[in-house]
Amino acid sequence: MSDSVKVAVLGASGYSGIELLRLLLRHPNAELVAVTSRTLAGKALSAEFPRFRGVGVADSLKFTNPDTETLKATGAEIAFLALPHGVSVEYAKGLLDAGIKVIDLSADFRLRSAELYKEFYDHEHPAPDLLSEAVYALPEVRADDIKKARLIACPGCYPTSILVPLIPLLKAGLLGDAPLSVSSMSGASGAGRKESVPLLFCEVQNSVRTYSVPKHRHLSEIGQELEIAAGHPVKLTFVPHLVPTHSGICTTIFASVKPGVTLDQVGEALQTFYAGQPFVRLLGANKSPDTKNVVGTNFVDVGWAYDARAGQLILMSVEDNIGKGASGQAVQNFNLVCGFEPTAGLMNI
Amino acid sequence: MSDSVKVAVLGASGYSGIELLRLLLRHPNAELVAVTSRTLAGKALSAEFPRFRGVGVADSLKFTNPDTETLKATGAEIAFLALPHGVSVEYAKGLLDAGIKVIDLSADFRLRSAELYKEFYDHEHPAPDLLSEAVYALPEVRADDIKKARLIACPGCYPTSILVPLIPLLKAGLLGDAPLSVSSMSGASGAGRKESVPLLFCEVQNSVRTYSVPKHRHLSEIGQELEIAAGHPVKLTFVPHLVPTHSGICTTIFASVKPGVTLDQVGEALQTFYAGQPFVRLLGANKSPDTKNVVGTNFVDVGWAYDARAGQLILMSVEDNIGKGASGQAVQNFNLVCGFEPTAGLMNI
Amino acid sequence: MSDSVKVAVLGASGYSGIELLRLLLRHPNAELVAVTSRTLAGKALSAEFPRFRGVGVADSLKFTNPDTETLKATGAEIAFLALPHGVSVEYAKGLLDAGIKVIDLSADFRLRSAELYKEFYDHEHPAPDLLSEAVYALPEVRADDIKKARLIACPGCYPTSILVPLIPLLKAGLLGDAPLSVSSMSGASGAGRKESVPLLFCEVQNSVRTYSVPKHRHLSEIGQELEIAAGHPVKLTFVPHLVPTHSGICTTIFASVKPGVTLDQVGEALQTFYAGQPFVRLLGANKSPDTKNVVGTNFVDVGWAYDARAGQLILMSVEDNIGKGASGQAVQNFNLVCGFEPTAGLMNI
Amino acid sequence: MSDSVKVAVLGASGYSGIELLRLLLRHPNAELVAVTSRTLAGKALSAEFPRFRGVGVADSLKFTNPDTETLKATGAEIAFLALPHGVSVEYAKGLLDAGIKVIDLSADFRLRSAELYKEFYDHEHPAPDLLSEAVYALPEVRADDIKKARLIACPGCYPTSILVPLIPLLKAGLLGDAPLSVSSMSGASGAGRKESVPLLFCEVQNSVRTYSVPKHRHLSEIGQELEIAAGHPVKLTFVPHLVPTHSGICTTIFASVKPGVTLDQVGEALQTFYAGQPFVRLLGANKSPDTKNVVGTNFVDVGWAYDARAGQLILMSVEDNIGKGASGQAVQNFNLVCGFEPTAGLMNI
């Protein structure tokens, strides 16, 4: 491919969409040629999002309707879908047929099984034939597949924070059979940019609360990927919490280890697996990651510790839920698909 | 006792101390006769804390040095110690010898074993003889002992949120042998009111982080009390998190249950144990508590759920770390010691 | 009246309504007999607002429709209207006709002139005959009228913070003729509890912004009351700001003074005017009030300073916008109307 | 100059210093060769600030002592001083003598008069001879002088937000003689990164408060620059407020206009003055700027409105206090001094 690729963003008015715009407006190898939103059609990008005023094409580019024909006419080669699940799938097939590669941020193409999708998302999958083609695109795990794909399913925010520390340990066979316990805390942007009383400032500021207990939808993709890594099903309890911050996920995992496994072995497995990866920062044993160090970035920071009294391993990870947990990872996949520098447009700090 | 008791607060300049003042200034049965602080001696209460201006004795009462003689002269019958651990113990004996009952908010008298104290607090306990007399004062668990005690050790903030949901289930023999996994999130007031860069607004606002992993000091009292409830040692991994809110603790516990135990049995055990208790609010199965409902109060709200896929019980509790987790509980104990209404001065909402 | 009065709250689901419930559930002389909300009818108070669980009648009292007949049947003697402007007026007449006194928190009865109402609220006043009867109920200014009134119009949040420091100085004739400049900052609860993207946590947390410039609706009542105090029209520019906090208004006023007027005279005028008033706390010259000292209370704190370089007086006030700026003041008026202690139910700190 | 310049940052541990590091680590034309901090000497940049881990030289560059000799040896051509006032001046002369240009973020070289400095900073200026050489470096106002300077005094955060809207209007002769009234709100980073109880999260989160009333130190430079623009002294009252946000300043200015001056003329004067300036974004008449659109950027957004009822002009501006108000502006000046693209390294959004 050339050193600049024309891209479109569908569904640009949510927090992931806005973050995508932020990254793509300044990406050295991306030319933003289309942004779509039915409700904003005709309006300039920076008129809706004044933060972008004066930056790149933000003053000149106008929102359009998300019609494939319109997008095709812009010359877009790659489309980012920052749409709700159930909506992405409506556009994906048309775009692919029109020769436009799809990088989807929704849950629509993350699962390999249409039945699992139905169990967790409460309706039949509308395009089950596309599931086998889609790649669950965790770049540190599946780069080769991503490079060749035309339908990219970006992992969810919680799953990324959970899979990054666990996959290397499962692959290395270090973990025991006891169920994994996962406690995650997310900033409010993870709940979306929608009219909602429970997400008002006054409802969130003094609030820490669990939700979607005990069966959050992300469990489906987490289970799928852990099973692939481990070679067998993995039991996991997941409890997400909403905490009063804009962005950032902090995940704490309690795990058993096989007899004799040491904390050094855990560290080595992680270091081996992530050697050379620019966006996974391994902090070391007994180090606590902090969301404040990753908010606004594509980094995921990981620490680990061993509770000798109870005999449990503790894994700790942080990321930006709309960065590495969504739009940053989408751009990371874009770089892979296009053969650009892995860090192109992503070394924001 | 009469319907009004003279009380003193030692160490009134921290967040627990301020909360104690807030509660005691308006307690219908408490007469605040002394507040101590070496650094503030001579200053009026409301001059230091303008929030209290115009309320009760706040404009007239002046800080004094914390000398037993001075306190004795005020006629104080009960002293609240809102002092750091290691400092409380210095005052307790003198106060007790002077006939003043002690309600201690520090960790100095929570452990029955001086050795355990040394292991977790890094120095010899200065008054091990007092440990056997002190009562670990969780009012819903040990009211009878509290009523008779002259040395009250108020439980820590995290321990209260952990013990309240666990003790009834351990007593009822419902939990399995797997290690318990506990993830707690606390507001910044739990870290104290001290000059500290990591606690500045700008360091906390966008930050979610673990700390004191894997061996937080509160594990000592948690282990002690769980063992008493269960009749045998209980393994527990505890990971505290600092979240960007003033006050409030949200605790999530992952537990195994004995074969055949149902979620209904869990609910019944809790309801039986806390019947008639005004400050433990059992929300029910699959209900998520929210710190926003308890901040500023003496309530602890509890929910529970069962993850059938992984076979784990999830317990969720919230409280105000400086309310039920510290000063509210201290006043609740005060009411018990003095024979006042259990809710006197505590039904703030 | 007796020592307990039956009260109803209409429109209890907004922030002022919730604050009213908080105050009335524990008011020693109020018996809450009705709460209304069309959308919540049939639901228990504490089912909708779990914070109130276990407190007073919160578990037993159910929301009803706001029909006068229903309210009459409860025996309510006084109705608090925490309804939007334009809606309060629909209920007021019926309630008054049924012999129920009305304490209105909306803007519907604050203005004496129906024309001024139309200019600022964009529609004809539906009950102009009631305007002459209603009392603009700033308790520190108009206590005698309030005691005798059956239709109480509680001042707005911004107006209270502006009128409290200005009225005594205008009455004393100390201010010059230059236009007053007022900059106010309000927490997000002032914008209401409604489905709105601009009020989401993620939109407010990192945001400080002006709004309703240059003609905020509250200018109408501010102008009316300043003119009454001064005896002539008073020019005033008002710029409100939304700041990222739950509650609290901080108001800063820039004013000219008449030649020769000293800062001492300013302080004396304030002290004379507010002597014996429990809720106006005069901090003194060169003292900065802080919203943190008044949030959750019915206090308004006032400081003042003189900028000798530019020759301008600076007045600074803080209050809780839903406390003294709305519901606290409503309860303060309730105490006046019923002849209760002025501070009954209001000394929360 | 070449297309890359070696730079040093002195005093890198405060919020402005950290922001400078953030900008310079990724500036396409800056090579960061030295960072100094007595307390952190020997430590790697990213060890102290984990956010920077893996970015540029952050893992390899170590803090050193701020000795001129050491800095000279690194080849640094330009030194940024992010030091407290009174400390910058100690280093500036030595650096200049060593041929290193100085971009100072402190107040030490902002004033032309040593007497004014003494009046506002309470001690004699230690190097008054340098005051005449230093350039008060508001790039939109004084670019030509900045390009030639070797001692750059970056304007303060509040002054930048106040001078940007006012200077064009004073130069155009549109404003009246009445004193200007300025109300500014700043995030807590403006107060510095220092051990301080009043700046703790728990002290700031629920707090809005004025401070330094009526004579904030920034009045000295504001007055100096307004007088230069107007050609005569300008009276101005300034009230700063601390609001609970990390960064961002919102400034609201109340001004009189000369008879007959229209809002259109105000807009035209601003547009003419800032034509072609990339970092001043003029939002238009009756538009409210929002700090959320500028936080993390070098933009200053400006709106204006006219209150016809009181006859006053309202000017509204927002900026990031550590961006355009400090470190962003310092880098903007660096670009000017070195002849780089004006926006190099500064188009972060």
Side-chain angles (χ1 to χ4, degrees):
Chain A
M1 281 194 176
S2 76
D3 67 350
S4 181
V5 167
K6 291 187 163 72
V7 301
V9 174
L10 281 75
S13 63
Y15 290 119
S16 293
I18 297 170
E19 179 70 2
L20 264 180
L21 295 178
R22 185 176 82 91
L23 295 172
L24 293 172
L25 276 170
R26 298 185 57 242
H27 194 291
N29 309 114
E31 183 188 349
L32 188 62
V33 295
V35 289
T36 79
S37 163
R38 289 189 194 286
T39 51
L40 301 173
K43 211 169 176 179
L45 195 47
S46 67
E48 180 65 15
F49 301 117
R51 184 170 172 92
F52 297 154
R53 194 169 165 137
V55 179
V57 297
D59 295 336
S60 54
L61 192 65
K62 287 189 167 63
F63 288 96
T64 63
N65 282 317
D67 312 309
T68 304
E69 284 312 301
T70 310
L71 292 168
K72 185 80 180 159
T74 63
E77 298 161 84
I78 293 186
F80 291 86
L81 309 190
L83 299 161
H85 70 83
V87 180
S88 271
V89 68
E90 290 179 25
Y91 291 97
K93 195 163 171 43
L95 291 165
L96 291 172
D97 288 348
I100 299 173
K101 293 184 182 181
V102 168
I103 298 178
D104 182 28
L105 281 78
S106 87
D108 280 354
F109 300 103
R110 292 182 192 153
L111 301 181
R112 301 194 169 191
S113 154
E115 275 153 55
L116 192 62
Y117 183 89
K118 188 180 175 189
E119 180 192 344
F120 277 85
Y121 291 90
D122 300 327
H123 61 93
E124 297 287 343
H125 196 285
D129 51 310
L130 285 175
L131 293 182
S132 57
E133 180 183 354
V135 175
Y136 187 87
L138 199 54
E140 289 79 9
V141 173
R142 210 163 278 149
D144 290 343
D145 293 343
I146 294 167
K147 287 175 189 166
K148 294 176 292 193
R150 57 171 203 151
L151 177 50
I152 298 285
C154 296
C157 53
Y158 287 124
T160 298
S161 75
I162 295 166
L163 296 173
V164 163
L166 281 176
I167 284 178
L169 306 185
L170 287 168
K171 279 187 181 280
L174 300 179
L175 300 188
D177 292 332
L180 297 160
S181 298
V182 180
S183 170
S184 291
M185 292 122 248
S186 174
S189 59
R193 189 160 177 267
K194 59 193 176 202
E195 296 181 342
S196 162
V197 166
L199 298 179
L200 292 181
F201 182 85
C202 291
E203 304 293 318
V204 171
Q205 192 200 14
N206 293 311
S207 165
V208 183
R209 48 181 135 143
T210 59
Y211 66 98
S212 294
V213 174
K215 198 178 173 185
H216 190 281
R217 283 171 166 165
H218 282 173
L219 276 166
S220 54
E221 58 184 286
I222 295 167
Q224 168 184 285
E225 296 300 313
L226 293 184
E227 180 168 348
I228 291 170
H232 56 73
V234 176
K235 288 187 175 175
L236 182 144
T237 300
F238 172 54
V239 178
H241 302 73
L242 182 65
V243 295
T245 190
H246 185 291
S247 298
I249 281 180
C250 176
T251 284
T252 297
I253 304 171
F254 304 81
S256 65
V257 291
K258 288 199 178 137
V261 168
T262 65
L263 196 58
D264 281 353
Q265 287 175 277
V266 167
E268 282 158 23
L270 290 166
Q271 270 144 1
T272 303
F273 194 88
Y274 291 114
Q277 293 290 356
F279 295 117
V280 177
R281 301 193 294 197
L282 301 173
L283 304 185
N286 301 310
K287 299 289 184 190
S288 284
D290 188 327
T291 60
K292 124 180 105 182
N293 294 324
V294 295
V295 168
T297 80
N298 195 47
F299 293 113
V300 52
D301 287 1
V302 181
W304 52 93
Y306 186 68
D307 175 11
R309 301 168 81 251
Q312 290 203 108
L313 177 67
I314 301 163
L315 301 166
M316 302 163 278
S317 69
V318 297
E319 61 167 28
D320 187 332
N321 54 301
I322 55 173
K324 178 68 176 170
S327 305
Q329 192 144 260
V331 172
Q332 194 181 352
N333 284 322
F334 166 77
N335 289 344
L336 278 172
V337 166
C338 299
F340 298 136
E341 277 294 305
T343 57
L346 286 173
M347 289 306 273
N348 312 296
I349 46 172
Chain B
M1 281 192 176
S2 77
D3 66 351
S4 181
V5 167
K6 289 188 166 70
V7 301
V9 174
L10 282 72
S13 62
Y15 289 119
S16 293
I18 297 170
E19 179 70 3
L20 264 180
L21 295 179
R22 185 176 83 91
L23 295 171
L24 293 171
L25 275 170
R26 298 186 56 243
H27 194 293
N29 309 113
E31 184 188 349
L32 188 62
V33 296
V35 289
T36 78
S37 164
R38 288 191 194 285
T39 51
L40 301 172
K43 212 169 176 179
L45 196 46
S46 68
E48 179 65 14
F49 301 116
R51 185 171 172 92
F52 297 154
R53 194 169 164 139
V55 180
V57 297
D59 296 335
S60 55
L61 192 63
K62 287 189 168 61
F63 288 95
T64 63
N65 282 318
D67 312 308
T68 304
E69 284 311 301
T70 309
L71 291 169
K72 185 84 180 157
T74 64
E77 298 159 83
I78 293 187
F80 291 86
L81 310 191
L83 298 162
H85 70 83
V87 180
S88 270
V89 67
E90 290 178 25
Y91 293 96
K93 193 161 172 46
L95 290 164
L96 291 171
D97 288 349
I100 299 173
K101 293 185 183 181
V102 169
I103 298 179
D104 181 29
L105 281 79
S106 86
D108 280 354
F109 300 103
R110 293 181 192 152
L111 301 182
R112 301 193 171 191
S113 154
E115 275 152 56
L116 192 62
Y117 183 90
K118 189 182 174 188
E119 180 192 343
F120 277 85
Y121 291 91
D122 301 327
H123 61 94
E124 297 287 343
H125 196 286
D129 51 309
L130 286 175
L131 293 182
S132 57
E133 179 184 355
V135 175
Y136 187 86
L138 198 54
E140 288 80 8
V141 174
R142 211 164 277 145
D144 289 344
D145 293 343
I146 294 166
K147 287 175 188 167
K148 295 176 293 193
R150 56 171 204 150
L151 175 53
I152 299 285
C154 295
C157 53
Y158 288 123
T160 298
S161 74
I162 295 167
L163 297 172
V164 164
L166 281 175
I167 283 177
L169 306 185
L170 287 168
K171 279 187 181 283
L174 300 179
L175 300 187
D177 292 332
L180 297 160
S181 296
V182 180
S183 170
S184 291
M185 291 122 250
S186 175
S189 59
R193 190 163 176 266
K194 59 193 176 203
E195 295 181 342
S196 161
V197 167
L199 298 179
L200 292 182
F201 182 84
C202 291
E203 305 293 317
V204 171
Q205 192 201 15
N206 293 310
S207 165
V208 183
R209 50 182 134 145
T210 58
Y211 66 96
S212 295
V213 175
K215 199 177 171 185
H216 189 281
R217 281 170 166 166
H218 282 171
L219 276 166
S220 53
E221 58 184 286
I222 295 166
Q224 167 185 288
E225 295 300 313
L226 292 184
E227 180 167 348
I228 292 170
H232 55 76
V234 176
K235 287 186 176 176
L236 182 145
T237 300
F238 172 54
V239 177
H241 303 73
L242 182 66
V243 295
T245 190
H246 184 291
S247 298
I249 280 180
C250 177
T251 284
T252 297
I253 304 173
F254 305 81
S256 65
V257 291
K258 287 198 178 138
V261 169
T262 66
L263 196 57
D264 281 353
Q265 286 176 278
V266 168
E268 282 158 23
L270 290 166
Q271 271 145 1
T272 303
F273 195 89
Y274 292 114
Q277 292 289 357
F279 294 117
V280 177
R281 301 193 294 198
L282 300 173
L283 304 186
N286 302 310
K287 298 290 184 190
S288 284
D290 189 326
T291 59
K292 125 181 104 182
N293 294 325
V294 296
V295 168
T297 81
N298 195 47
F299 293 114
V300 52
D301 286 2
V302 181
W304 52 94
Y306 186 68
D307 176 11
R309 301 168 81 250
Q312 289 203 108
L313 178 67
I314 301 164
L315 301 166
M316 301 164 280
S317 69
V318 296
E319 60 167 28
D320 186 332
N321 54 302
I322 55 174
K324 178 67 176 170
S327 306
Q329 191 144 262
V331 172
Q332 194 182 352
N333 284 322
F334 165 77
N335 289 344
L336 278 173
V337 167
C338 299
F340 298 136
E341 277 294 304
T343 57
L346 287 173
M347 288 306 271
N348 312 296
I349 46 171
Chain C
M1 283 195 175
S2 77
D3 66 351
S4 181
V5 167
K6 289 188 166 68
V7 301
V9 175
L10 280 73
S13 63
Y15 290 119
S16 292
I18 298 170
E19 180 70 3
L20 264 181
L21 295 178
R22 185 176 84 90
L23 295 172
L24 293 172
L25 277 170
R26 299 184 57 244
H27 193 292
N29 309 113
E31 183 188 350
L32 188 62
V33 296
V35 288
T36 79
S37 162
R38 289 190 194 285
T39 52
L40 300 173
K43 212 169 176 179
L45 195 48
S46 68
E48 179 65 15
F49 301 116
R51 183 171 174 93
F52 297 154
R53 196 171 163 137
V55 179
V57 297
D59 296 336
S60 54
L61 191 64
K62 288 188 168 62
F63 288 95
T64 63
N65 282 317
D67 312 308
T68 303
E69 285 310 301
T70 310
L71 292 169
K72 184 85 181 155
T74 64
E77 298 160 84
I78 293 186
F80 291 86
L81 309 191
L83 298 162
H85 70 83
V87 180
S88 270
V89 68
E90 291 178 24
Y91 293 97
K93 191 159 174 48
L95 291 164
L96 291 172
D97 288 348
I100 299 173
K101 292 184 183 180
V102 169
I103 298 178
D104 182 28
L105 282 77
S106 85
D108 280 354
F109 300 103
R110 293 181 192 153
L111 301 183
R112 301 194 170 190
S113 153
E115 275 152 56
L116 192 63
Y117 183 89
K118 189 182 175 190
E119 179 192 344
F120 276 86
Y121 291 91
D122 300 328
H123 61 94
E124 297 287 342
H125 196 285
D129 51 308
L130 286 174
L131 294 182
S132 57
E133 178 181 358
V135 175
Y136 187 86
L138 198 54
E140 289 80 7
V141 173
R142 211 164 279 146
D144 289 343
D145 293 341
I146 295 167
K147 286 175 189 167
K148 294 176 292 192
R150 57 171 204 151
L151 175 52
I152 298 285
C154 296
C157 53
Y158 287 123
T160 299
S161 74
I162 295 167
L163 296 173
V164 164
L166 281 176
I167 283 177
L169 306 186
L170 286 169
K171 278 187 183 281
L174 300 180
L175 299 188
D177 292 333
L180 297 161
S181 297
V182 180
S183 170
S184 290
M185 292 122 248
S186 174
S189 59
R193 191 163 176 265
K194 58 193 176 202
E195 296 181 342
S196 162
V197 166
L199 297 179
L200 292 181
F201 182 85
C202 291
E203 305 293 318
V204 171
Q205 191 200 14
N206 293 311
S207 166
V208 183
R209 47 181 135 145
T210 58
Y211 66 97
S212 294
V213 174
K215 197 175 171 187
H216 190 283
R217 282 170 167 167
H218 282 173
L219 276 166
S220 52
E221 58 185 285
I222 295 167
Q224 168 184 286
E225 295 300 314
L226 292 184
E227 180 168 348
I228 292 170
H232 55 74
V234 176
K235 288 188 175 175
L236 181 145
T237 300
F238 171 53
V239 178
H241 303 73
L242 182 67
V243 295
T245 189
H246 185 291
S247 299
I249 280 181
C250 176
T251 283
T252 297
I253 303 172
F254 304 82
S256 64
V257 291
K258 287 201 178 135
V261 168
T262 65
L263 197 57
D264 280 353
Q265 286 176 279
V266 168
E268 281 158 25
L270 291 165
Q271 270 145 1
T272 303
F273 195 89
Y274 292 115
Q277 293 290 355
F279 295 117
V280 176
R281 301 192 295 197
L282 300 173
L283 304 185
N286 301 310
K287 298 289 184 189
S288 284
D290 187 328
T291 60
K292 126 181 105 182
N293 294 325
V294 296
V295 168
T297 80
N298 195 48
F299 293 114
V300 52
D301 287 1
V302 180
W304 52 93
Y306 186 67
D307 176 10
R309 300 169 81 250
Q312 289 202 109
L313 177 67
I314 301 164
L315 301 166
M316 302 164 279
S317 70
V318 297
E319 60 166 29
D320 186 334
N321 53 302
I322 56 174
K324 177 67 177 170
S327 306
Q329 192 144 264
V331 172
Q332 193 180 352
N333 284 322
F334 165 78
N335 289 344
L336 278 173
V337 167
C338 298
F340 298 136
E341 277 294 305
T343 58
L346 286 174
M347 288 306 271
N348 312 296
I349 46 170
Chain D
M1 281 197 178
S2 77
D3 67 349
S4 181
V5 167
K6 290 188 166 71
V7 301
V9 174
L10 281 74
S13 63
Y15 289 120
S16 293
I18 296 170
E19 179 70 3
L20 263 180
L21 295 179
R22 185 176 84 89
L23 295 172
L24 294 172
L25 276 170
R26 299 185 57 242
H27 194 292
N29 309 114
E31 184 188 349
L32 188 61
V33 296
V35 289
T36 78
S37 163
R38 288 189 194 288
T39 51
L40 301 172
K43 214 170 175 178
L45 195 48
S46 68
E48 180 65 14
F49 302 115
R51 184 171 173 92
F52 297 154
R53 195 170 164 138
V55 179
V57 298
D59 296 336
S60 54
L61 192 64
K62 288 189 168 62
F63 288 96
T64 62
N65 282 317
D67 311 310
T68 304
E69 284 311 301
T70 310
L71 292 168
K72 184 84 181 155
T74 64
E77 297 159 83
I78 293 186
F80 291 87
L81 309 192
L83 298 162
H85 70 82
V87 179
S88 270
V89 68
E90 290 178 24
Y91 292 96
K93 194 162 172 43
L95 291 164
L96 291 172
D97 289 348
I100 299 174
K101 293 184 182 180
V102 168
I103 298 178
D104 181 29
L105 282 80
S106 86
D108 280 354
F109 299 104
R110 292 181 192 154
L111 302 182
R112 301 194 169 190
S113 153
E115 274 153 57
L116 193 62
Y117 183 89
K118 189 181 175 189
E119 179 192 345
F120 276 85
Y121 291 91
D122 300 327
H123 61 92
E124 297 286 344
H125 196 286
D129 50 310
L130 286 175
L131 293 182
S132 56
E133 177 182 357
V135 174
Y136 187 85
L138 198 55
E140 289 79 7
V141 173
R142 209 163 279 148
D144 290 342
D145 293 342
I146 295 168
K147 287 176 189 167
K148 294 175 292 192
R150 57 171 205 152
L151 176 53
I152 298 285
C154 295
C157 53
Y158 287 123
T160 298
S161 74
I162 295 167
L163 296 173
V164 164
L166 280 176
I167 284 177
L169 306 185
L170 287 169
K171 278 187 182 282
L174 300 179
L175 299 187
D177 292 333
L180 297 160
S181 297
V182 180
S183 170
S184 292
M185 292 121 248
S186 174
S189 59
R193 191 163 175 264
K194 59 194 177 201
E195 296 180 342
S196 162
V197 166
L199 298 179
L200 292 181
F201 181 85
C202 291
E203 304 294 317
V204 171
Q205 192 201 14
N206 293 311
S207 165
V208 183
R209 49 181 134 143
T210 59
Y211 66 97
S212 293
V213 174
K215 198 176 171 186
H216 190 281
R217 283 171 166 167
H218 281 174
L219 276 167
S220 53
E221 58 184 286
I222 294 167
Q224 168 184 287
E225 296 300 313
L226 292 183
E227 179 168 348
I228 292 171
H232 56 74
V234 176
K235 286 187 177 176
L236 182 145
T237 300
F238 172 54
V239 178
H241 303 74
L242 182 66
V243 295
T245 190
H246 185 290
S247 299
I249 280 180
C250 177
T251 285
T252 297
I253 304 172
F254 305 80
S256 63
V257 291
K258 288 200 177 136
V261 168
T262 66
L263 196 57
D264 281 352
Q265 286 175 277
V266 167
E268 282 158 25
L270 291 165
Q271 270 145 1
T272 303
F273 195 88
Y274 292 115
Q277 293 290 355
F279 294 117
V280 177
R281 302 192 295 197
L282 300 173
L283 304 185
N286 301 311
K287 299 290 182 188
S288 284
D290 188 326
T291 60
K292 124 181 104 181
N293 294 323
V294 296
V295 167
T297 80
N298 195 47
F299 292 114
V300 53
D301 287 1
V302 180
W304 52 94
Y306 185 68
D307 176 11
R309 301 168 81 251
Q312 289 203 107
L313 177 67
I314 301 164
L315 301 166
M316 301 165 278
S317 70
V318 297
E319 60 166 29
D320 187 333
N321 54 302
I322 56 173
K324 178 67 177 170
S327 305
Q329 191 143 264
V331 172
Q332 193 180 351
N333 284 322
F334 166 78
N335 289 344
L336 277 173
V337 166
C338 299
F340 298 136
E341 277 294 305
T343 58
L346 286 174
M347 288 306 272
N348 312 296
I349 46 172

